[in-house]
Amino acid sequence: MPYISGFDRDQLMCCSWDEFVDKESIAGIIDAFVNSLDISRYGVKPVSVEGRPAYDPKSLYKLYIYGSRKGIRSSRKLAESYKVNLEVKWMLGCVEPDFRTISDFRRSNIDSLKEIFHEFNHRLSGAVEWGFCSVDGSKIQANNSKDNNFTKNKLDDRIKWLNGHTDEYLRILNEMDEDEEQEDNPEKLTREIIEAKLKEAQERLARYEGY
């Protein structure tokens, strides 16, 4: 039985990066949105690495919005997504910030990140086209779940939920970055550290019992 064959990995290929990203991809929406922003309005604080020029803040804003939409919840995972995700490579123009740069940028620009996230949610709601649909007496199969129909009031509530989700996402990012930084600490959970903390706790307990 014949199988569908793949490409020859040694074969040279000449193509545009746009061919790797679907036209309906959320990456295209994020890219167009961030490129339309006047970054100077948000008081951005760039992050440079070892004396080199700073990364374009727009690239990092794109990365964070994309991470929020895809449920990527740590700076390490965001940095890793560049290596394995063609959409991220396309958005960032093959720029590759490391996880430390990504984390430092978030810490320095938490207020502007929230503002840009909220603006993104607002722009999406403004893109909804309002109109009317009429049918005659024909029987048709309906598909009208809660996620498939909106009123203006319902859309306002959804935007509020998205903005709250944004704040929670940034909070989780901060927690996970802190946990990962502790894991990088070679002194974490060594036998000596654990025994010292245990002894301190025992001495404190004995002192409190004496009181």
Side-chain angles (χ1 to χ4, degrees), residues 162-180:
L162 282 172
N163 289 342
H165 174 75
T166 293
D167 295 341
E168 178 66 6
Y169 172 70
L170 292 173
R171 185 190 67 79
I172 292 173
L173 270 174
N174 182 60
E175 286 186 354
M176 296 202 64
D177 283 351
E178 288 178 351
D179 290 342
E180 288 175 346

Side-chain angles (χ1 to χ4, degrees), residues 33-151:
F33 164 71
V34 176
N35 286 341
S36 72
L37 295 177
D38 179 5
I39 291 296
S40 62
R41 287 180 46 207
Y42 299 95
V44 180
K45 300 174 183 176
V47 176
S48 59
V49 181
E50 298 177 356
R52 292 180 292 175
Y55 287 98
D56 186 349
K58 288 188 175 183
S59 295
L60 295 168
Y61 285 129
K62 292 175 186 178
L63 187 60
Y64 272 112
I65 296 174
Y66 186 86
S68 173
R69 293 289 160 170
K70 297 296 184 179
I72 305 173
R73 295 185 170 185
S74 80
S75 296
R76 286 184 186 273
K77 294 293 185 182
L78 286 172
E80 182 183 346
S81 68
Y82 169 85
K83 301 180 184 299
V84 300
N85 193 317
L86 288 173
E87 288 184 336
V88 175
K89 281 181 177 287
W90 176 82
M91 282 194 308
L92 272 61
C94 284
V95 172
E96 187 176 358
D98 61 15
F99 80 92
R100 186 73 64 189
T101 301
I102 296 170
S103 176
D104 289 345
F105 181 83
R106 176 184 53 78
R107 289 193 179 95
S108 300
N109 294 281
I110 189 68
D111 292 334
S112 64
L113 271 169
K114 288 183 179 180
E115 191 174 351
I116 287 174
F117 268 93
H118 293 178
E119 176 66 18
F120 181 70
N121 296 334
H122 178 72
R123 293 269 191 99
L124 286 183
S125 69
V128 175
E129 295 182 0
W130 300 98
F132 298 92
C133 180
S134 301
V135 296
D136 58 15
S138 302
K139 293 182 180 180
I140 60 175
Q141 183 176 359
N143 183 16
N144 194 32
S145 68
K146 292 182 179 180
D147 289 332
N148 287 337
N149 71 85
F150 293 95
T151 63

